[in-house]
């Protein structure tokens, strides 16, 4: 195998730091509905979003009373995958669970 045409020692740490940026984060929003059972929502929050039982129950109650709530903040691909997993689990049981994405604003 031939050697690369560049000398790796000429790349400075400053040059590398300038090129690395953290990907934007997205909020996963859970929306309340009148049909999906509370216990099922709590289970989804535990299994898909890795919340403890107490956290999941508190989030579920907040969504129930407020109408929607953030259940996690992730890079886009991870947020999208978690939404798909939760939605698929709900559809398998015949529930209309709804989640959406919202880009997190820079602070």
């Amino acid at each position: 195998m031939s050697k690369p045409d560049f000398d790796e020692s000429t790349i400075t740490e400053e040059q590398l730091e300038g090129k690395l940026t953290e990907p934007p984060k997205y909020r996963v929003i859970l929306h309340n509905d009148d049909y999906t059972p509370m216990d099922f929502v709590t289970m989804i929050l535990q299994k898909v979003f890795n919340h403890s039982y107490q956290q999941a129950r508190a989030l579920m109650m907040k969504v129930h009373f407020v109408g929607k709530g953030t259940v996690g903040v992730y890079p886009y691909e991870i947020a999208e995958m978690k939404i798909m997993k939760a939605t698929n689990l709900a559809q398998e049981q015949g529930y209309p669970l709804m989640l959406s994405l919202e880009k997190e604003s820079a602070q």
Side-chain angles (χ1 to χ4, degrees), residues 6-62:
F6 64 93
D7 181 10
E8 290 180 27
S9 64
T10 60
I11 298 174
T12 65
E13 194 171 315
E14 287 179 10
Q15 288 172 323
L16 288 175
E17 285 181 16
K19 294 180 182 180
L20 299 176
T21 58
E22 192 166 323
K25 301 282 183 154
Y26 290 80
R27 295 176 186 275
V28 176
I29 310 295
L30 173 64
H31 300 267
N32 187 46
D33 66 68
D34 294 332
Y35 303 102
T36 307
M38 291 180 173
D39 288 339
F40 183 80
V41 173
T42 301
M43 183 273 299
I44 290 290
L45 293 172
Q46 289 178 271
K47 302 276 186 204
V48 178
F49 297 96
N50 301 316
H51 290 290
S52 69
Y53 175 79
Q54 290 79 13
Q55 291 171 325
R57 190 80 181 162
L59 270 170
M60 180 275 302
M61 292 305 291
K62 178 184 175 189

Side-chain angles (χ1 to χ4, degrees), residues 36 40 44 85-98:
T36 307
F40 183 80
I44 290 290
K85 186 173 183 178
T87 302
N88 288 342
L89 288 169
Q91 287 176 348
E92 287 173 5
Q93 299 298 314
Y95 301 132
L97 187 71
M98 190 172 114

